Amino acid sequence: MTSQVRGSQLARLLGQWHALPGRRRSPDYAALAAAVRGLLADGRLPLGVRLPAERELAEALRISRTTVTAAYRQLRESGHLASRRGAGSWTMLPGTHRVASTGLWTPLDDRDMIDLGVAALAAPPQLVPAARAATEDLPRYLGGAGYHPTGIIELREAIARSYTERGLPTSAEQIMVTSGTQHALDLVLRLALAPGGSVLVESPTYPNALAALSARRARIATHGLAADGAGWDAELLLGSIRQTRPKLAYLIPDFQNPTGHLMPAELRERVVATAHAAGTDLVVDESFVDLPLDGTELPPPTAAFDRHSRVVSIGGMSKPYWGGLRIGWVRASAPQVQRLAAARVGVDMASPVLDQLVAVHLLADAPTIVAARRRQLAAQRDALLGALAERLPDWRVTAPRGGVTLWAELDGPISSALARAAEEVGVRLAPGPRFGLDGTLERFLRLPFTLPAVDLVEAVGRLADVRYDLDRAARPQWREATVIA
């Protein structure tokens, strides 16, 4: 069934759609069409959604219907829109594009693109030896059907040991292996959240988590994070839980995505206690917990403060190891794990045995692999920070103490416009609004430092070039105070 976006919704998503590079010299309809393509490219406008009627959008944007008609015509000509008389217009994937690894659209000929939309590393050199060793282990599993809904015991034990080493005693019965962290989140939501249930999330937060919550038709409330190193406002966060009493709260306390903030131990303990009192379950995403930089000491796991089975932890191997190895996990109470496994059978049965065996060997070599990853990321982060300081000194960036991303505060609400301009010079970005709701966060941009330093420096150079081409005449109005919800 095709969903529909209303004119007022699309207007909020479009934001300052006319403030594009050189568009003061271009027709408004071309600028509007480019802005819609930008929303399609970064995933804020999905495939198969019906756009508002021309008159409705014209009224919402306070422009002439002729401009909207011409913009829709251009979108049809480029393959981004299909229309049928009496049925309306809906978004399409152009024949010149494909769905990329991020789930977003990308041109077929994007091999030379510097992709800063993906916050993930290439595979470590230890992956191939681990895969070879896994094939030698595989024969002992071939006599069975190969379905292990909670995961093979060797991997569950290895994951449990990693929690125990972090100060959280864990048994294999408390672990369920999943096909990545996103899959883990989806399964937890299926079990813990009824359609239309209330959820509290950080703002900004992980876009795919927002997509998973939207798929459950969740009622989402947000807690805003500070752009600087402060991160969470403890009283505001705890007050939000007490006042809204959500069924579930999704938090990323370890090098939060996208800001890189690290939640202190005291706040973790208070959040767990407050959630218990409010009847709120906590889903704690630990995707980046293995990647502290500069010798940063990690607080205890959030679940270490849990005495009432209110905390479900999810994690995986995508960030410290490789995204192509689709291994994630859930840590919860043993009864919760069994209920998750029962729910899983109706989804995908089990994770691949061979992939799990590869993961076992990688985890056995974790100290070596992860230490190398941390050195690599620290060097790439510093290269990115240096390039930003030199080429874009007006941007405000706080160096994260871990994780893989910077959260940059720009010198104006230009994130979406910059992303569209950057695409034309071979740089793909994840603009700030992707990490929030309703088109907010236009003053922010996520910049991962997972690519080689030379690519990061080159990308910043290209961004600086297009940044200073962004409608300089309108720049003073960007510096006026702007309220961001």
Side-chain angles (χ1 to χ4, degrees):
M1 182 179 294
T2 302
S3 60
Q4 184 168 2
V5 58
R6 296 190 299 272
S8 58
Q9 292 174 310
L10 184 53
R12 284 198 303 272
L13 289 173
L14 287 167
Q16 295 187 359
W17 57 272
H18 53 280
L20 293 170
R23 289 311 196 262
R24 295 294 181 186
R25 300 181 299 276
S26 300
D28 280 348
Y29 76 84
L32 178 57
V36 173
R37 285 195 297 270
L39 294 177
L40 292 168
D42 67 28
R44 282 180 279 164
L45 201 57
L47 285 170
V49 68
R50 183 170 296 161
L51 295 188
E54 295 170 0
R55 185 185 302 278
E56 180 186 356
L57 183 58
E59 292 175 354
L61 294 175
R62 298 180 180 179
I63 58 177
S64 71
R65 182 178 177 181
T66 302
T67 299
V68 178
T69 300
Y72 277 20
R73 181 173 62 248
Q74 189 174 93
L75 290 168
R76 286 192 294 270
E77 292 171 352
S78 63
H80 292 83
L81 201 63
S83 300
R84 189 167 64 245
R85 185 179 297 275
S89 301
W90 57 94
T91 56
M92 292 182 61
L93 179 69
T96 56
H97 287 62
R98 61 182 173 84
V99 177
S101 59
T102 58
L104 305 182
W105 301 15
T106 187
L108 292 173
D109 57 348
D110 69 343
R111 294 183 180 180
D112 296 328
M113 183 76 66
I114 301 177
D115 194 346
L116 297 182
V118 179
L121 293 159
Q126 294 89 344
L127 182 62
V128 171
R132 291 186 181 129
T135 59
E136 296 176 0
D137 295 339
L138 185 60
R140 67 174 181 267
Y141 283 92
L142 299 181
Y147 298 129
H148 303 269
T150 57
I152 63 173
I153 188 62
E154 295 149 282
L155 181 54
R156 295 168 67 201
E157 289 175 343
I159 297 167
R161 279 195 302 272
S162 70
Y163 277 103
T164 301
E165 291 167 359
R166 290 172 54 203
L168 179 59
T170 302
S171 66
E173 289 70 28
Q174 293 176 269
I175 300 296
M176 185 176 81
V177 178
T178 63
S179 299
T181 309
Q182 186 70 17
H183 180 222
L185 175 61
D186 181 75
L187 288 174
V188 171
L189 294 180
R190 287 171 183 268
L191 186 68
L193 188 69
S198 58
V199 180
L200 178 68
V201 301
E202 298 146 336
S203 179
T205 192
Y206 180 45
N208 289 345
L210 292 175
L213 291 169
S214 296
R216 298 294 296 171
R217 301 197 300 277
R219 292 181 291 111
I220 303 174
T222 60
H223 164 68
L225 298 182
D228 57 20
W232 299 265
D233 183 309
E235 297 310 318
L236 284 177
L237 173 58
L238 301 177
S240 296
I241 296 174
R242 294 189 191 104
Q243 293 167 19
T244 62
R245 303 179 73 86
K247 179 64 180 71
L248 184 147
Y250 170 78
L251 303 175
I252 313 174
D254 299 292
F255 311 118
Q256 200 263 355
N257 183 9
T259 65
H261 295 317
L262 181 63
M263 183 181 287
E266 179 187 6
L267 181 53
R268 296 176 188 227
E269 184 174 12
R270 295 178 67 190
V271 165
V272 173
T274 302
H276 172 61
T280 298
D281 293 324
L282 296 178
V283 178
V284 175
D285 189 334
E286 299 182 320
S287 295
F288 303 94
V289 73
D290 291 319
L291 299 175
L293 306 179
D294 308 324
T296 297
E297 185 175 347
L298 286 173
T302 305
F305 303 104
D306 183 25
R307 301 292 182 269
H308 306 282
S309 298
R310 284 287 182 190
V311 178
V312 175
S313 304
I314 61 175
M317 303 189 71
S318 294
K319 302 308 179 183
Y321 297 92
W322 188 46
L325 187 66
R326 301 310 302 149
I327 295 295
W329 53 77
V330 178
R331 184 210 179 268
S333 67
Q336 286 174 313
V337 166
Q338 292 304 317
R339 289 197 294 273
L340 284 166
R344 177 186 193 162
V345 170
V347 180
D348 74 338
M349 302 295 289
S351 297
V353 171
L354 185 58
D355 285 21
Q356 294 183 70
L357 290 170
V358 174
V360 169
H361 286 279
L362 289 174
L363 289 176
D365 200 16
T368 300
I369 297 173
V370 173
R373 291 303 217 189
R374 292 172 182 170
R375 291 192 296 270
Q376 174 188 357
L377 287 168
Q380 291 170 184
R381 177 203 60 187
D382 294 345
L384 179 56
L385 286 169
L388 290 170
E390 179 182 352
R391 298 299 307 275
L392 292 160
D394 291 336
W395 291 10
R396 295 175 56 189
V397 183
T398 300
R401 293 182 291 162
V404 300
T405 61
L406 303 178
W407 186 239
E409 183 176 1
L410 311 182
D411 53 346
I414 58 169
S415 188
S416 294
L418 183 65
R420 294 192 290 272
E423 190 90 12
E424 298 177 3
V425 295
V427 179
R428 179 167 297 119
L429 299 174
R434 280 203 65 210
F435 301 86
L437 299 173
D438 294 330
T440 59
L441 302 173
E442 277 288 1
R443 285 184 174 269
F444 297 91
L445 181 68
R446 189 188 75 170
L447 295 171
F449 42 91
T450 49
L451 294 179
V454 63
D455 290 338
L456 296 173
V457 173
E458 173 64 22
V460 171
R462 298 184 193 180
L463 291 180
D465 290 341
V466 297
R467 167 63 193 90
Y468 295 118
D469 286 337
L470 282 179
D471 197 2
R472 296 183 185 185
R475 191 169 181 180
Q477 73 180 26
W478 292 339
R479 296 191 177 275
E480 297 174 358
T482 301
V483 176
I484 298 178

